Amino acid sequence: MKKSESKKSLPDARGYFGEYGGMFVPETLISALQELERGYNRIAGTPSFQKELRYYLEHYAGRPTPLYFASRMTADLHGARVYLKREDLAHTGAHKINNTVAQVLLAKKLRKKRIIAETGAGQHGVATATAAALFGLECEVYMGDLDIKRQALNVDRMRLLGAKVIPVYSGSMTLKDAMNEAIRDWVTNVETTHYVIGSVAGPHPYPRMVRDFQSVIGKEAKGQIVKLEGRLPDVLIACVGGGSNSIGLFYPFIGYKDIELVGVEAGGLGIETGRHGASLTAGEKGVLHGSMTKILMDRDGQIINPHSVSAGLDYPGVGPELSYLKDAGRLKVYPVKDDEALSATVYLSRKEGIIPALESAHAIAFAMRYVPKLPKRSLVVINVSGRGDKDMDIIREHIKLGG
């Protein structure tokens, strides 16, 4: 496997990945973001912080997560050998805990007393509430009212963990609107509060910081696949909403030109209908939540409300680094429709005994149509970013489960 001769260090000093990224925020937040960047640069790379973080990831969050050979799926698809990176087995049921434990630990060292977050599917909210409880900090989570209704289990989990869940009734009442309200809160409480952004979206330094914390996924997968197969994979597949699980898997492999990186977006009811969440596929360059990136907007530049059966992919933007990688040709992106993701949920549940989150099911659905086209000697790693317990009410609405 050849590695590229040079791997550009991204982002640059201003927080840009090529033409994407930056800090497009109210003036009152510039100093808070600069303080966060200085704190991150000063603390996060030190041996003491890394040792403490490693302790919590291993002994609390359950890392490393397994890289599982999906033998029945491999045999059924008659193509490449398929491995599943089991982030669904991490504490709280998704990859989100990697970032929240790290950010809340950093916030505590920066002497913040209060934690806020936004959440869509609820997994980031649960993971933030978990980390806040672990370190003894106050926690408030903003969540769209529509998502509160379709993710009731995670709302109850957050409240049990001691977090206050604040409903958001504006806009589409989903992740975009929850993030808007969290930013408004942070503007007025920057002295005491740290805002734990759950994805690689938002203003600099969040896209870099969250990517670095989530890259534990790819670092583990890299070592695991070499141990299991004696070489690196040929294809990596992950779902893309904001982008934290995908860039977490992809980042340690970006420098390997021969490894194909595939992001799978929410095709919703079909790209042609306009009812989807496929920002990389159908979006345009614009500013959303503090950064320049690809977003879904109309001819007047107004944000289009996205749609996905999966609450975690129901977002009209994407992380700026993924926009950069897409434009650079390093990342291939494909949409998967709601019905395909639901079918993939049933498929993986019955083929491997793993119920994936609806977000992860998008990646499985793409693999189901792509793996049969690959040579049998090929190695494919799919990130199962979370488990499907949270989605059972939605799954029950769409799928006849039998008696």
Side-chain angles (χ1 to χ4, degrees):
M1 186 68 64
K2 293 181 179 180
K3 192 171 184 178
S4 62
E5 294 180 2
S6 64
K7 179 179 173 183
K8 186 176 180 183
S9 177
L10 294 169
D12 64 19
R14 298 180 304 134
Y16 278 86
F17 303 84
E19 60 182 335
Y20 300 102
M23 287 184 190
F24 294 83
V25 295
E27 190 174 342
T28 49
L29 277 184
I30 295 292
S31 60
L33 289 165
Q34 291 173 339
E35 176 197 351
L36 177 59
E37 183 181 15
R38 287 192 297 270
Y40 177 75
N41 290 338
R42 184 179 75 252
I43 296 170
T46 62
S48 60
F49 181 86
Q50 287 296 316
K51 181 179 180 181
E52 193 171 358
L53 176 59
R54 188 162 52 250
Y55 170 82
Y56 285 112
L57 290 178
E58 292 179 1
H59 298 280
Y60 184 75
R63 306 212 69 86
T65 58
L67 184 68
Y68 167 70
F69 175 57
S71 59
R72 296 192 68 229
M73 184 176 175
T74 295
D76 183 63
L77 297 179
H78 301 288
R81 291 171 63 79
V82 177
Y83 282 86
L84 306 178
K85 183 59 174 161
R86 298 291 308 278
E87 292 301 292
D88 58 307
L89 294 179
H91 181 40
T92 73
H95 70 291
K96 296 294 187 180
I97 195 72
N98 306 325
N99 171 53
T100 61
V101 164
Q103 277 204 55
V104 176
L105 178 61
L106 178 63
K108 189 163 186 177
K109 293 185 181 300
L110 293 174
R111 299 181 179 177
K112 302 297 182 181
K113 305 295 183 185
R114 176 174 174 261
I115 298 297
I116 61 172
E118 87 295 329
T119 196
Q123 285 301 121
H124 173 61
V126 170
T128 302
T130 298
L134 172 64
F135 294 112
L137 299 180
E138 178 187 351
C139 181
E140 295 185 9
V141 180
Y142 289 89
M143 190 171 189
D145 190 59
L146 176 61
D147 288 336
I148 286 176
K149 289 180 172 65
R150 62 181 179 177
Q151 297 291 345
L153 174 62
N154 275 342
V155 174
D156 289 341
R157 293 170 76 195
M158 285 183 268
R159 289 172 174 159
L160 182 60
L161 288 158
K164 181 180 179 182
V165 180
I166 303 174
V168 175
Y169 299 102
S170 59
S172 60
M173 298 183 289
T174 57
L175 180 58
K176 167 182 67 72
D177 313 291
M179 197 166 183
N180 288 340
E181 292 303 316
I183 290 172
R184 289 190 185 101
D185 183 319
W186 196 32
V187 167
T188 57
N189 296 287
V190 292
E191 293 298 322
T192 60
T193 299
H194 175 68
Y195 176 21
V196 180
I197 291 182
S199 195
V200 286
H204 178 69
Y206 282 102
R208 171 199 169 197
M209 190 167 66
V210 177
R211 176 204 69 194
D212 290 350
F213 290 147
Q214 288 291 3
S215 65
V216 65
I217 300 170
K219 290 173 184 174
E220 285 179 5
K222 193 175 183 181
Q224 289 167 325
I225 194 71
V226 169
K227 185 175 181 180
L228 290 165
E229 293 281 355
R231 67 180 183 89
L232 294 176
D234 299 288
V235 183
L236 304 176
I237 303 173
C239 65
V240 177
S244 62
N245 95 87
S246 55
I247 200 67
L249 176 64
F250 297 157
Y251 188 65
F253 296 93
I254 288 174
Y256 295 89
K257 291 180 178 179
D258 296 337
I259 297 178
E260 187 177 356
L261 309 181
V262 179
V264 185
E265 292 192 296
L269 302 180
I271 300 300
E272 70 285 354
T273 70
R275 300 285 291 141
H276 59 80
S279 302
L280 289 171
T281 301
E284 298 179 53
K285 184 179 175 184
V287 174
L288 179 66
H289 294 141
S291 72
M292 181 73 71
T293 188
K294 288 186 182 294
I295 60 178
L296 300 176
M297 57 184 176
D298 62 22
R299 292 178 181 178
D300 297 321
Q302 298 300 307
I303 301 299
I304 297 173
N305 288 333
H307 164 79
S308 175
V309 71
S310 162
L313 302 185
D314 200 355
Y315 183 63
V318 67
E321 187 167 8
L322 289 162
S323 293
Y324 166 79
L325 292 171
K326 167 72 161 44
D327 281 4
R330 185 65 189 91
L331 173 66
K332 296 180 180 179
V333 181
Y334 301 91
V336 157
K337 291 198 232 180
D338 288 349
D339 57 355
E340 294 176 283
L342 288 161
S343 294
T345 300
V346 176
Y347 178 84
L348 193 67
S349 298
R350 296 178 181 177
K351 192 61 64 175
E352 293 289 351
I354 298 169
I355 303 173
L358 284 172
E359 294 82 3
S360 310
H362 284 70
I364 298 297
F366 176 77
M368 288 167 62
R369 68 188 190 215
Y370 189 57
V371 167
K373 302 175 184 178
L374 298 172
K376 292 185 183 297
R377 66 180 180 278
S378 297
L379 300 178
V380 174
V381 173
I382 307 168
N383 201 20
V384 181
S385 57
R387 67 180 186 230
D389 308 39
K390 67 181 179 62
D391 296 316
M392 287 309 300
D393 286 344
I394 299 172
I395 291 168
R396 192 183 298 112
E397 286 178 18
H398 291 87
I399 298 171
K400 185 176 181 181
L401 299 177

